């Protein structure tokens, strides 16, 4: 249940470059408590300067050279008569170009021309075609480019196809793939068309004999070096996550099929043979093997070598210790001598070639070190890197407790971190994901950040939604910062629940009783225990004050909550076989509410379409009828009260509160910005209206001569019988913006997912739900047990 609610709430990163990366530790499934190596990997950065307008998106590391492909302007476009471009270069001719970077970092454009786009001798309607560079492969003499020539056309009968609602139902397409081997200057050495038929492919790899493996809907297709289909390998229910070359030149694939395993592609036999298993790890990147190392893989923030002989993984380095983020690596290659080359590019920055070589640990300059405990370090890697690169006296070292996850025990990392905190081994900084924040703050383990915020030269409390800050207080102390937040709520039709947030238990029951017979409050499967646990998380602050250590579980309000939850069906009475969507049940009058949230500006628009444009964020019912909309921090970060360098720690934490960081929400982290300026910028963008244009870029006008608004996108949701419900993303209206702000500013509490307390509530409430004890007796038992637990934790 915790996982289900958490999944719903969750939607609800060139100084110091000589820092070394430790090696010699074990795989993610093992403990990381290993001796520190005397040698470390040290990075050397070589900035790559491409011509203006060239932004490489594909890379191939081949020998000492690097090849890059960029989709860029290749010719000036001709502006249609009487048309003013909406932006510079709107009508320019675009195409693919190749570049080669030599060992000294010199960038030169190659004499490469992609295959021409197909032409249509049949003059089919709405015909369109283009050529794209699908993938670059390294080659001993140069590089290999896999190109795709794509064609599409309309087969329907609509007079104006582009304006037809079922346009895409009548579009046919065809792809032709060609492998082109290029020399060091980009000149074509050979071109091999692939006999792919009508199949489309998602991923590709080239083995040492020039054979191509391509994964598509039909499984894994193997093509000979001359383009002939060599084999078709059925994957059954399996799925290949990554492909890379083994030391002997064959391809190895990472296959999920009832477990994660490495397999060898037996190209001539058309089958996969086992190499060994990988324990419950989903690598982000798979690299070619070298020497005794079968394959290399990157997982989270670390690079491992996997040895097929014994199935063990060896930790080579932590990218963060090398001032690198795995998310910013565009290509990686382990060389024969053990050094590592990679292409690194941070968003908005010029790319760089990074070479990692070993050096003695004691040869590196000393810097003060702060530790940061996190359950998954890749979520915070960009923030750590930006801080470390900006400092020359101090750096942050991340302790990633996901390294302790072993087999099916996904809670092992959380257990290890919690145990160390309680034992006094507190990191200087904490990423609070899944940790009992209020409990840690109440024990005095976390620093009060209000004095640091009030003493900041640039930031002020009024720069933020102060009700969100207040919701995170524990005993009047703010012990965490967060860049964003979301609002967790129940949503219903204004015609049913009214148009003002907030209702009592009696109001809830009255609204439900007015619905058609058989209508449920929420979706099928929500029984009284599940709803009680949901209410426990979102209403915890109502009955438990960690700041004072007091509880109110014996109060009349809590007894009303228990009685209300009992009105939901018993787990044996819920309708589990109903797999229809919320939209279907709402439309048919079989469901009254949707448990949802406001995680982005788009949600404020999409949610309006659930109830015909008349929705209300009514919130969970409360004893006194006040709004039950609840705030949830996106990701919280805290400072230990015993931090070794609190000034440096605050310099790091304040970064999450800045307008610049908040602008990145949605790419690094989710949620609405806590920073008001960043929030307003997002709101203004969401309210910008876009208008329809014709094929030449002119605005279309309606019968009154006005521009016609167009959507900014959309999504679909399946309904019963295969029908689809379309959600359209229009520009946000002022009414929707006002409603969003009202819901945010009217929320006064935060979610507290303390599983120990919710577990006590669930276990004791069972006797009341079964009719074995009265609500008063159960409330007193919960009060007694939770009070004892709280006193032990303070």
């Amino acid at each position: 249940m915790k996982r289900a609610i958490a999944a719903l709430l969750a939607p609800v990163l060139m100084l110091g470059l000589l820092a070394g990366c430790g090696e010699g530790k074990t795989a993610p499934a093992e403990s990381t408590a290993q001796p520190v190596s005397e040698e470390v990997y040290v990075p050397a950065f070589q900035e790559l300067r491409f011509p203006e307008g060239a932004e490489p998106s594909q890379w191939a590391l081949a020998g000492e050279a690097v090849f890059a492909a960029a989709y860029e302007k290749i010719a000036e476009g001709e502006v249609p008569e009487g048309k003013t471009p909406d932006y510079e270069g709107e009508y320019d001719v675009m195409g693919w170009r190749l570049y080669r970077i030599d060992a000294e970092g010199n960038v030169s454009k190659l004499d490469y021309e992609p295959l021409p786009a197909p032409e249509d001798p049949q003059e089919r309607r709405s015909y369109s075609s283009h050529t794209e560079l699908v993938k670059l492969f390294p080659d001993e003499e140069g590089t290999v480019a896999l190109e795709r020539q794509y064609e599409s056309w309309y087969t329907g009968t609509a007079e104006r196809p582009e304006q037809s609602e079922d346009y895409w139902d009548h579009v046919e397409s065809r792809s032709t793939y060609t492998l082109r081997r290029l020399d060091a200057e980009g000149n074509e050495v050979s071109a091999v068309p692939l006999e792919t038929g009508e199949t489309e492919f998602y991923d590709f790899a080239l083995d040492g004999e020039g054979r191509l493996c391509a994964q598509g809907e039909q499984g894994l297709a193997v093509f000979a070096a001359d383009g002939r289909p060599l084999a078709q390998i059925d994957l059954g229910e399996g799925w290949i996550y990554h492909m890379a070359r083994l030391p002997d030149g064959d391809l190895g694939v990472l296959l999920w099929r009832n477990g994660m395993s490495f397999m060898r592609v037996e190209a001539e036999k058309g089958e996969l043979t086992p190499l060994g298993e990988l324990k419950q790890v989903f690598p982000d990147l798979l690299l070619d093997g070298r020497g005794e190392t079968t394959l290399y893989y990157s997982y989270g923030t670390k690079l491992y070598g996997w040895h097929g002989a014994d199935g063990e993984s060896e930790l080579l380095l932590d990218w963060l210790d090398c001032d690198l983020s795995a998310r910013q690596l565009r290509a990686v290659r382990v060389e024969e001598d053990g050094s590592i080359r990679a292409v690194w590019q941070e968003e908005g920055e010029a790319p760089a070639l990074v070479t990692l070589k070993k050096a003695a640990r004691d040869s590196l300059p000393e810097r003060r070190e702060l530790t940061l405990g996190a359950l998954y370090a890749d979520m915070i890697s960009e923030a750590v890197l930006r801080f470390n690169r900006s400092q020359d006296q101090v750096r942050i070292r991340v302790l990633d407790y996901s390294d302790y996850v072993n087999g099916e025990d996904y809670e092992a990392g959380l257990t290890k971190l919690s145990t160390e905190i309680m034992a006094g081994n507190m990191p200087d900084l904490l990423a609070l994901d899944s940790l009992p924040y209020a409990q840690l703050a109440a024990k005095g383990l976390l620093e009060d950040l209000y004095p640091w915020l009030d003493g900041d030269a640039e930031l002020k409390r009024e720069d933020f939604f102060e009700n969100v800050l207040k919701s995170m207080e524990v005993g009047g102390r703010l012990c965490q910062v967060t860049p964003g937040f979301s609002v967790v709520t129940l949503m219903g039709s204004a015609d049913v629940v009214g148009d003002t947030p907030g209702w009592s238990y009696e109001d809830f029951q009255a609204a439900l009783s007015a619905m058609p017979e058989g209508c449920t409050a929420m979706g099928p499967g929500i029984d009284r225990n599940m709803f009680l646990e949901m209410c426990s998380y979102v209403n915890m602050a109502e009955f438990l004050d960690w700041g004072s250590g007091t509880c109110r579980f014996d109060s009349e309000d809590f007894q009303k909550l228990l009685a209300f939850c009992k009105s939901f069906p018993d787990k044996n009475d819920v309708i589990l076989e109903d797999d229809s969507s919320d939209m279907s049940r709402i439309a048919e009058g079989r469901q009254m509410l949707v448990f949802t949230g406001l995680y982005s500006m788009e949600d404020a628009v999409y949610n309006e379409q659930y109830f015909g444009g008349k929705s209300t964020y009514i919130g969970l019912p409360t004893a006194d009828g006040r709004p039950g909309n609840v705030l949830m921090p996106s990701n919280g970060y805290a400072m230990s009260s015993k931090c070794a360098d609190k000034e440096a720690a605050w310099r790091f934490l304040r970064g999450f509160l800045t307008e610049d960081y908040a602008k990145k929400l949605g790419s690094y982290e989710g949620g609405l910005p806590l920073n008001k300026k960043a929030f307003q910028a997002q709101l203004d963008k969401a309210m910008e209206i876009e208008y329809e244009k014709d094929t030449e870029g002119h605005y279309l006008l309606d019968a009154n001569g006005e521009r016609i608004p167009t959507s900014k996108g959309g999504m679909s949701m399946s309904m019963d019988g295969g029908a689809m419900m379309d959600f359209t993303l229009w520009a946000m209206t002022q009414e929707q913006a006002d409603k969003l702000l009202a819901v945010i500013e009217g929320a006064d509490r935060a979610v507290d997912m303390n599983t120990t307390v919710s577990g006590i509530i669930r276990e004791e409430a069972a006797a009341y739900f079964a009719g074995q004890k009265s609500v008063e007796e159960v409330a007193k038992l919960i009060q007694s047990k939770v009070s004892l637990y709280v006193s032990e934790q303070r």
Side-chain angles (χ1 to χ4, degrees):
M1 178 59 191
K2 175 194 172 187
R3 293 177 185 271
I5 294 178
L8 179 58
L9 301 180
V12 173
L13 119 7
M14 286 299 183
L15 294 175
L17 296 182
L18 291 179
C21 322
E23 63 153 344
K25 299 180 184 178
T26 54
E30 309 292 338
S31 167
T32 57
Q34 299 290 324
V36 177
S37 171
E38 294 301 318
E39 286 190 317
V40 294
Y41 279 96
V42 177
F45 290 73
Q46 190 175 50
E47 188 172 332
L48 304 178
R49 288 294 179 184
F50 286 81
E52 184 177 355
E55 298 181 1
S57 59
Q58 297 195 48
W59 302 83
L61 299 171
E64 293 186 352
V66 180
F67 291 87
Y71 187 69
E72 61 189 71
K73 181 179 76 172
I74 58 177
E76 294 284 350
E78 188 172 325
V79 180
E81 184 177 352
K83 171 64 180 171
T84 300
D86 287 336
Y87 57 89
E88 185 178 353
E90 180 179 3
Y91 295 97
D92 288 342
V93 180
M94 305 295 290
W96 287 94
R97 290 294 179 260
L98 284 184
Y99 294 85
R100 183 180 186 274
I101 301 98
D102 63 21
E104 285 71 44
N106 300 310
V107 179
S108 56
K109 182 180 284 191
L110 302 182
D111 297 328
Y112 162 78
E113 291 285 345
L115 294 172
E119 296 182 356
D120 182 28
Q122 303 178 39
E123 298 184 356
R124 287 169 287 194
R125 301 179 68 193
S126 296
Y127 180 86
S128 176
S129 68
H130 67 270
T131 296
E132 63 178 333
L133 181 57
V134 177
K135 194 164 184 176
L136 279 181
F137 302 98
D139 184 67
E140 292 301 322
E141 302 299 328
T143 187
V144 177
L146 177 64
E147 294 183 9
R148 173 180 179 245
Q149 293 172 296
Y150 177 80
E151 303 171 88
S152 67
W153 58 91
Y154 178 71
T155 60
T157 59
E159 186 175 337
R160 303 188 65 170
E162 291 80 3
Q163 296 184 6
S164 171
E165 291 185 0
D166 62 350
Y167 173 80
W168 292 107
D169 294 334
H170 300 283
V171 171
E172 292 187 11
S173 63
R174 178 175 59 198
S175 293
T176 304
Y177 294 89
T178 304
L179 266 178
R180 301 179 70 198
R181 192 171 299 277
L182 310 172
D183 64 18
E185 302 303 320
N187 299 307
E188 181 179 281
V189 176
S190 64
V192 178
L194 302 180
E195 300 175 21
T196 60
E198 299 298 319
T199 306
E200 293 285 355
F201 298 102
Y202 315 122
D203 194 18
F204 307 87
L206 204 62
D207 73 7
E209 299 297 323
R211 294 173 295 215
L212 181 78
C213 284
Q215 182 178 192
E217 292 183 357
Q218 307 302 317
L220 190 67
V222 183
F223 297 91
D226 60 6
R228 291 179 298 105
L230 197 59
Q232 181 70 43
I233 303 175
D234 184 9
L235 302 178
E237 297 298 321
W239 182 261
I240 292 174
Y241 279 84
H242 301 287
M243 298 186 283
R245 197 176 295 183
L246 301 170
D248 61 8
D250 281 354
L251 285 180
V253 300
L254 185 60
L255 175 72
W256 172 264
R257 188 165 55 196
N258 299 321
M260 191 70 78
S261 59
F262 287 116
M263 309 288 285
R264 178 188 295 273
V265 179
E266 301 280 4
E268 297 296 335
K269 298 179 180 178
E271 61 185 29
L272 302 179
T273 56
L275 287 170
E277 295 183 353
L278 187 62
K279 300 177 183 177
Q280 302 300 323
V281 173
F282 291 81
D284 309 300
L285 187 67
L286 193 64
L287 308 177
D288 294 349
R290 290 283 187 273
E292 300 299 318
T293 303
T294 308
L295 289 163
Y296 297 91
Y297 65 90
S298 182
Y299 171 69
T301 67
K302 298 179 176 66
L303 178 67
Y304 297 89
W306 185 79
H307 303 284
D310 53 17
E312 294 298 321
S313 296
E314 175 189 8
L315 174 60
L316 299 182
L317 57 83
D318 188 319
W319 297 114
L320 281 178
D321 289 343
C322 301
D323 281 339
L324 292 169
S325 167
R327 297 185 182 189
Q328 297 170 349
L329 296 176
R330 303 295 175 254
V332 183
R333 172 184 169 114
V334 180
E335 304 293 351
E336 295 291 348
D337 63 0
S339 64
I340 299 167
R341 287 199 305 155
V343 175
W344 165 81
Q345 185 171 25
E346 188 174 10
E347 184 177 354
E349 301 293 333
L353 181 62
V354 186
T355 304
L356 300 166
K357 294 184 178 181
K358 290 184 179 180
R361 181 179 293 275
D362 57 13
S363 68
L364 303 180
E366 290 189 11
R367 292 163 67 181
R368 297 193 313 278
E369 186 175 86
L370 293 177
T371 55
L372 188 157
L375 289 176
Y376 290 94
D378 59 328
M379 293 296 294
I380 198 174
S381 58
E382 279 81 4
V384 170
L385 288 177
R386 282 195 300 274
F387 179 81
N388 285 347
R389 290 171 185 156
S390 70
Q391 308 290 312
D392 57 4
Q393 299 296 318
V394 64
R395 67 178 288 108
I396 291 174
R397 178 169 62 90
V398 177
L399 308 176
D400 189 350
Y401 285 83
S402 67
D403 290 347
Y404 291 90
V405 173
N406 191 350
E408 295 293 339
D409 186 5
Y410 292 102
E411 301 293 332
L414 176 59
T415 301
K416 177 66 175 177
L417 177 55
S418 300
T419 301
E420 292 200 354
I421 289 173
M422 297 309 174
N425 300 323
M426 180 81 161
D428 297 297
L429 294 155
L430 274 178
L432 292 168
D433 180 40
S434 298
L435 290 172
Y437 158 68
Q439 181 178 331
L440 295 174
K443 289 176 69 69
L445 295 174
L446 306 181
E447 178 82 359
D448 182 5
L449 300 177
Y450 269 144
W452 295 96
L453 177 58
D454 294 338
D456 195 282
E458 298 176 355
L459 302 176
K460 301 178 179 62
R461 295 195 197 193
E462 52 264 35
D463 294 336
F464 313 100
F465 287 98
E466 293 192 61
N467 64 306
V468 180
L469 294 180
K470 188 170 181 60
S471 75
M472 297 188 294
E473 292 178 5
V474 177
R477 302 164 68 242
L478 178 70
C479 296
Q480 68 168 318
V481 297
T482 178
F485 66 95
S486 53
V487 181
V488 180
T489 184
L490 284 177
M491 185 174 65
S493 169
D495 292 339
V496 175
V497 303
D499 58 6
T500 304
W503 55 348
S504 65
Y505 302 129
E506 293 78 13
D507 295 333
F508 182 103
Q509 297 291 10
L512 183 59
S513 65
M515 295 295 289
E517 184 178 355
C519 177
T520 61
M522 299 171 65
I526 303 295
D527 62 32
R528 58 186 56 157
N529 290 307
M530 295 178 71
F531 195 77
L532 174 61
E533 190 150 1
M534 184 188 305
C535 290
S536 298
Y537 289 138
V538 300
N539 286 304
M540 193 73 73
E542 285 285 298
F543 307 108
L544 171 57
D545 184 348
W546 279 102
S548 62
T550 58
C551 306
R552 296 181 55 248
F553 292 102
D554 56 355
S555 65
E556 183 179 352
D557 286 350
F558 186 70
Q559 292 177 37
K560 285 184 177 181
L561 173 59
L562 288 175
F564 174 68
C565 291
K566 189 177 181 180
S567 68
F568 280 72
D570 180 82
K571 65 180 180 180
N572 296 316
D573 298 328
V574 297
I575 309 172
L576 295 176
E577 66 272 13
D578 186 353
D579 60 355
S580 57
S581 67
D582 285 342
M583 287 302 306
S584 297
R585 293 189 295 272
I586 289 169
E588 296 167 3
R590 296 190 291 122
Q591 181 175 325
M592 183 173 71
L593 302 167
V594 174
F595 186 51
T596 187
L598 289 161
Y599 309 111
S600 66
M601 297 294 170
E602 288 80 4
D603 287 328
V605 179
Y606 283 134
N607 286 344
E608 288 295 304
Q609 298 171 50
Y610 264 93
F611 296 95
K614 296 189 294 184
S615 63
T616 299
Y617 298 111
I618 190 67
L620 275 82
T622 56
D624 58 8
R626 65 190 177 90
N629 296 314
V630 187
L631 297 161
M632 183 173 181
S634 298
N635 285 298
Y637 304 99
M639 181 195 310
S640 167
S641 56
K642 296 182 179 179
C643 176
D645 188 340
K646 293 184 179 180
E647 289 189 2
W650 172 249
R651 290 201 301 273
F652 172 70
L653 291 177
R654 72 180 303 279
F656 295 108
L657 299 175
T658 62
E659 184 179 359
D660 285 343
Y661 190 88
K663 290 177 180 177
K664 299 179 184 295
L665 290 180
S667 57
Y668 293 162
E669 303 175 73
L672 297 162
L674 178 64
N675 186 292
K676 286 183 177 179
K677 288 183 179 179
F679 181 93
Q680 188 61 49
Q682 281 196 15
L683 190 62
D684 291 343
K685 182 68 174 177
M687 296 180 71
E688 288 180 1
I689 301 175
E690 297 180 1
Y691 297 95
E692 291 186 13
K693 297 179 181 179
D694 61 21
T695 55
E696 295 183 350
H698 299 95
Y699 287 110
L700 296 174
L701 305 179
D702 62 18
N704 297 319
E706 301 291 333
R707 292 179 179 180
I708 305 171
T710 187
S711 72
K712 298 182 179 183
M715 63 180 183
S716 297
M717 179 181 293
S718 62
M719 298 179 66
D720 296 351
M724 302 296 292
M725 172 67 184
D726 293 326
F727 288 74
T728 305
L729 181 61
W730 299 100
M732 186 186 296
T733 66
Q734 187 62 55
E735 181 182 1
Q736 291 168 347
D738 292 343
K739 182 187 290 190
L740 171 63
L741 282 167
V743 171
I744 291 172
E745 294 171 349
D748 62 357
R749 71 195 107 155
V751 171
D752 182 359
M753 296 183 69
N754 189 303
T755 56
T756 301
V757 175
S758 64
I760 293 173
I761 294 171
R762 181 182 62 252
E763 291 170 7
E764 296 303 325
Y768 168 58
F769 291 160
Q772 299 167 353
K773 292 180 182 178
S774 69
V775 67
E776 294 85 358
E777 290 175 308
V778 166
K780 288 180 180 178
L781 280 171
I782 293 173
Q783 172 73 7
S784 175
K785 289 191 174 183
V786 175
S787 296
L788 178 60
Y789 168 72
V790 171
S791 65
E792 291 173 345
Q793 299 302 312
R794 287 174 56 81

